[in-house]
Amino acid sequence: RLPSASDANILFYISGYVARSIIRTTKCDHCKESLVTENKLEPIDIDNKLNYSAATFMESINRGGLSRPTDFTFRLMIDCWRVFEEIKSTSSLMEQLLNSTCQRKLFGKVMDRVGCIQAFGHLPIDVNVCVNGHELNSLITNRFFKCVAKNFLKDLNTNSQSRQSKKRKIAKVSARTDY
């Protein structure tokens, strides 16, 4: 499943944030070259049937401080998003993720396997290591998972609390028999 245009805009923005975060941590010019670009961005096509204007959206909100991700960074973020959406929508996968002792490592291993299957241009995605030894795929995947896991857990807690509240209300109403 491909992201909608609004999801693509958000992913584009987040991929710039993730790239900038990695560059600040590694302080590596080679990582910077692979993850961000200084060129003016053209709209990136994910699917020819849909009109994606993620780069155009980025340009409209940028006042000079946002990082522009490369095609590699953006496409890897889309792959991460697709895998995470599949996990969220499949109850058995969701259960396996939640029962794991280290969800981020599990997600990283899944993305490693996806990376072996996918290809970016003429290079397999799984060989993207900068000359200083930084594994860009795992750095991007880890930061993506941290970002979405916070919101996902907040949603799970909110839904769980609302279900418990409804159960209490039903039990309270059911216990009243003095009408």
Side-chain angles (χ1 to χ4, degrees):
R1 171 184 141 181
L2 293 173
S4 66
S6 60
D7 286 339
N9 286 335
I10 293 166
L11 286 170
F12 194 77
Y13 179 85
I14 292 172
S15 61
Y17 167 78
V18 165
R20 185 174 182 182
S21 171
I22 292 169
I23 293 165
R24 282 185 174 175
T25 303
T26 62
K27 296 176 177 47
C28 175
D29 290 333
H30 301 287
C31 288
K32 183 176 182 177
E33 188 177 302
S34 297
L35 298 175
V36 296
T37 182
E38 299 298 322
N39 300 337
K40 180 160 175 50
L41 295 175
E42 299 297 324
I44 297 174
D45 292 327
I46 301 169
D47 185 5
N48 294 333
K49 299 174 197 163
L50 299 173
N51 180 18
Y52 288 99
S53 56
T56 307
F57 169 75
M58 178 85 152
E59 288 298 326
S60 69
I61 63 169
N62 191 4
R63 295 181 306 212
L66 299 177
S67 296
R68 295 177 183 101
T70 58
D71 286 352
F72 162 75
T73 307
F74 182 53
R75 290 181 192 275
L76 183 56
M77 288 288 286
I78 287 174
D79 286 341
C80 289
W81 179 86
R82 292 174 73 185
V83 168
F84 193 76
E85 287 296 311
E86 183 65 28
I87 290 171
K88 279 180 29 179
S89 65
T90 309
S91 61
S92 62
L93 294 176
M94 172 82 81
E95 187 176 328
Q96 287 178 352
L97 180 69
L98 293 176
N99 290 332
S100 171
T101 56
C102 187
Q103 291 88 7
R104 187 175 42 170
K105 277 188 178 179
L106 177 61
F107 186 77
K109 293 289 183 187
V110 170
M111 287 309 300
D112 285 345
R113 293 200 178 176
V114 168
C116 290
I117 297 167
Q118 297 286 327
F120 180 73
H122 63 286
L123 296 173
I125 288 178
D126 63 337
V127 297
N128 199 352
V129 176
C130 87
V131 295
N132 291 324
H134 302 125
E135 295 181 25
L136 298 178
N137 290 3
S138 63
L139 291 172
I140 291 170
T141 300
N142 286 339
R143 281 174 172 78
F144 171 84
F145 188 77
K146 283 181 186 179
C147 181
V148 295
K150 288 178 188 177
N151 293 330
F152 177 65
L153 289 176
K154 186 190 298 185
D155 289 344
L156 280 178
N157 287 334
T158 301
N159 290 340
S160 173
Q161 288 173 355
S162 67
R163 280 193 299 260
Q164 290 173 353
S165 173
K166 287 178 185 177
K167 285 181 183 179
R168 277 187 259 137
K169 288 178 184 177
I170 291 171
K172 189 175 182 179
V173 170
S174 299
R176 292 180 134 186
T177 57
D178 58 340
Y179 293 110

